[in-house]
Each structure stands twice: as structure tokens, then as C-alpha cells.
Amino acid sequence: MTAYEAELVVGRRETAADGVLALTLRHPLGEPLPAWEPGAHVDVVLGPGLERQYSLCGDPADRTRWRIAVLRETDGRGGSAHVHEEVRTGDKLRVRGPRNTFRLERAPRYRFVAGGIGITPILPMLAAAEEAGAEWSLLYGGRTRAGLAFTRELGRYGDRVTIVPEDESGLLDLAPVLDDLPADTLVYCCGPGPLLDAVEARCPAGRLRVERFRPKEAAVDAPAEAEAEAEFEVVLARSGRTVAVPPGVSVLDAVREAGVEVLYSCTEGTCGTCETEVVEGEPDHRDSVLTEEERAAGETMLVCVSRCRGRRLVLDL
């Protein structure tokens, strides 16, 4: 299925925190935007070779606008600087999506943990949990109070939200939030890698849902490991064609080199855009998106980073 893609207009540009810019996007003709659920993100094309993923952090019930928030990263790859310096109200941005690899599952209780700009996918989850009548709490940390986005909106939830600026109170104390969790509780976490790693180490198996902005360390190392691996073949089920995937070359690149178009974006295994159905064979998963249960099932794989545990894969391409 082809993803929605359109030129959207920046209808509003406002500061959400120090270094965080919130943009409201609308269709230029007032057409309704596709529906989305908490946890969804969109791909924003900022220029040739400059495409980034941003979580939707507005109201899913409002089909007239989408809201994203962009943290200016001093050591980034140029996307956030472009948004902060070049994008103005009235400009048009090519946007594709929405796509959701961080969906809010139904549960009677939630524990939300956010670090920095990781509040963006969590924000609409809080409203959904509230509307569903679930019991929930949020632990939200960042380097400084001024750098924490959307704190005014969070204020309406009262003491269910705990805000911890690092320069005032130190790092987040995860023990009171994650220790002795009731069996019917799900934990949702988004933020920098060290926070996600700490939460993963403390959270009971099967209870945690995370979204990473950057790949896990193991996923980053995967291409280097792949260089020493044997070539394998990918059979494209829709056409019957067979494509060789040599060591050090991703499935995505090999298939595209053969002239087959595949929807993709981050090429790091973090956005989920290139998730592809596996018809036959065992994937060697190296992404930062799929859960352990999804990896064990082997029904899909992210072809931008994952490979094959064997000599042959059949994919729904």
C-alpha cells in the first residue's frame, strides 16, 4: 500500500522549549489529513538527501492539522538545523505517512518514561490513556527545566506527571516507577539511548515498549559484521526474480540496484518504513523497531539493516 504523501503548509511555528521548535502542518487546500494514533510518526523531506522522521504530538481527533516538534541538535546531521534556521510559516514541506511502530496497546495501567524530545510520541498517549480511564503516570526528565517541551500542557495532569530537570535533581530515579510493577501494567519509554537501555535493564520481559531515535549499538555494528558473512539470495515473491545480496550490502540496496522500488527512509533500522513481509526463510534481525516476539515470529523484517540466517529469503516484494 502506498503511503500518503503531500506538500503540507507550515501553519504555525512556535517555541516549545529552549532548542525545541513546534510546527503545525496543514493541507494547502484544507483537505483532511490521514487519521493517526498515538505513537505515529511522519517522514519530512527537507531537501535532497535530507529526510527525517518526527513523531506526531498533537490531537489525533483533529484531522485539519498535524503537529511535530524538532530538537535542534548541535552534533546532528543537519536536519534539525535546517528546520530551525530555514523553515518559516507559510513554507511547504513534503510529508509522508503517518506510520506507527510504537502503537499504544490497551492496558488498565501504564507507566510512561520520557527523556528530552522523547516526550513527543508520549504526549498523545497520555490523553488516550486518560480518555480510556486507565491508571497512569509519567516520569519526564531532561538536562534543564527550560529545555523540557510541552510542560504547560502537561500541567493539566497534576501530580501524575513528575518532571525532573537533571541540573536540579540529577538523573531520573527509575526504581519507584519500574520496581514491583502490577502484572497488568505496560511501560512506554522514548528518549536518548542510555535512558532506554536503563529502562530495558529494569523492566520485566514483555512489559516494555520503546521507540529509539537512533539505532541500538548492536544494530550500528551489524554492517561491519556483515562484511564477513556469506552472500545470500533474496527471491522477490511478486515477480519471481532472484537478487544476490553480497557481504556488506543491505537487502534494500541490492533490491533497489536490481530496479525494484522499496519504500524506505532512515536506512538505520529505526523508523520502520521498509518493514517487509517474509514469505520464507529466517531473517537476521538487526533493527531497533521490532519487539522480541516479532523477531521470534520472523514474519517481517527491516530490509535496510537486517540480513539472512541462511542462504535464501523469500520476501513479499
Side-chain angles (χ1 to χ4, degrees), residues 32-158:
L33 299 173
W36 61 281
E37 296 179 357
H41 68 264
V42 293
D43 304 328
V44 180
V45 180
L46 301 170
L50 196 61
E51 183 174 318
R52 298 292 183 266
Q53 293 75 45
Y54 299 111
S55 297
L56 293 173
C57 56
D59 179 4
D62 187 351
R63 299 283 297 279
T64 67
R65 73 193 79 184
W66 284 343
R67 184 176 68 171
I68 61 174
V70 182
L71 169 67
R72 177 157 190 164
E73 299 183 84
T74 55
D75 59 347
R77 296 173 295 163
S80 65
H82 178 88
V83 172
H84 279 253
E85 295 172 9
E86 306 294 337
V87 176
R88 296 290 180 263
T89 300
D91 287 354
K92 289 185 178 180
L93 296 174
R94 178 154 291 276
V95 182
R96 184 172 61 238
R99 187 171 294 103
N100 202 333
T101 58
F102 193 41
R103 200 174 304 276
L104 183 67
E105 301 173 28
R106 186 177 296 275
R109 307 175 200 275
Y110 299 99
R111 297 293 178 264
F112 298 103
V113 182
I117 198 63
I119 191 62
T120 50
I122 299 293
L123 200 60
M125 291 184 179
L126 305 182
E130 182 80 356
E131 185 177 355
E135 186 271 314
W136 64 268
S137 67
L138 166 66
L139 182 63
Y140 178 27
R143 293 179 181 175
T144 66
R145 188 176 297 275
L148 293 169
F150 304 115
T151 53
R152 182 174 298 179
E153 292 184 29
L154 292 171
R156 67 190 178 103
Y157 295 120

Side-chain angles (χ1 to χ4, degrees), residues 5 15 62 94 103 129 148 158 173 178 195 210 217 221 228 246-247 251 253 264 266 270 289 293 303:
E5 186 170 346
T15 299
D62 187 351
R94 178 154 291 276
R103 200 174 304 276
L148 293 169
D173 184 3
L178 300 181
L195 172 63
V210 302
E217 185 176 344
D221 291 340
V251 174
D253 287 344
Y264 71 98
C266 74
T270 59
V289 173
E293 292 79 8
V303 294

Side-chain angles (χ1 to χ4, degrees), residues 283-287 290 294-295 298 300-301 306-307 309:
D284 178 7
H285 295 290
R286 301 181 178 189
D287 64 276
L290 298 179
E294 290 169 332
R295 291 183 175 208
T300 65
M301 65 182 288
S306 297
R307 296 180 66 78
R309 291 186 181 277

